[in-house]
Amino acid sequence: MAPIPRLRDEGGHPLWSYGFRPFFLGAGVWATAAMALWVRALAGGPQPGGAYGAANWHMHEMLFGFAPAALAGFLMTAVPNWTGRMPVSGPPLAALAALWLAGRLMLAVPLDALWLAVAIDALFLPLMAGVFLIEIVAGRKWRDLKIVGLMALI
């Protein structure tokens, strides 16, 4: 009996081979960068967040920037293990990571169009819930659908 394959050999960059890689890396780098921006703002430097306000930006980034990246990294590893399916990798994973990063960058720079930054940022969690829904349904792991519900609550 052959083991379940755990990697698609797409010949791409190793960063895009497993979901935990871009999201754990992004969570760690962004948490560090956001804290540096916040400390610089408290010391009288430029205020991140523009019209959103520096304090609101800081709270938002910890709750909806750092935490969802860490959660996505964990679930992008756990869901394939639960379902026995191949992990999301390659260009679809890169697109998800780019969407998360776009949300971080759009809110970090001062913009007149705050609604655009919020709209881009607001796409990440529902899209991740949709990816997990597809994977869990395809793997017929009905008891794990609660994860999709929890993502929807966030």
Side-chain angles (χ1 to χ4, degrees):
M1 197 166 177
I4 297 171
R6 292 289 178 207
L7 176 66
R8 288 185 186 99
D9 188 11
E10 297 178 353
H13 193 279
L15 181 65
W16 310 120
S17 60
Y18 287 103
F20 70 88
R21 290 178 176 167
F23 289 115
F24 283 168
L25 177 64
V29 168
W30 185 243
T32 303
M35 291 303 292
L37 288 170
W38 181 242
V39 168
R40 189 175 81 177
L42 290 176
Q47 301 290 304
Y52 198 43
N56 290 332
W57 171 84
H58 176 67
M59 290 182 285
H60 176 88
E61 288 308 308
M62 293 301 108
L63 290 174
F64 296 105
F66 166 74
L71 179 64
F74 167 73
L75 289 174
M76 293 291 271
T77 302
V79 169
N81 286 329
W82 298 338
T83 62
R85 293 177 45 81
M86 297 291 283
V88 175
S89 62
L93 178 59
L96 290 168
L99 177 63
W100 175 82
L101 182 60
R104 310 290 52 82
L105 297 176
M106 292 288 290
L107 284 168
V109 297
L111 289 176
D112 289 332
L114 180 60
W115 66 269
L116 179 61
V118 171
I120 289 171
D121 194 37
L123 290 173
F124 181 70
L125 285 170
L127 194 56
M128 288 304 300
V131 167
F132 298 138
L133 176 65
I134 291 168
E135 292 299 312
I136 290 168
V137 168
R140 298 181 182 272
K141 295 294 184 171
W142 311 116
R143 65 183 169 87
D144 294 326
L145 282 173
K146 62 185 171 269
I147 295 302
V148 176
L150 291 173
M151 293 276 302
L153 284 174
I154 294 172

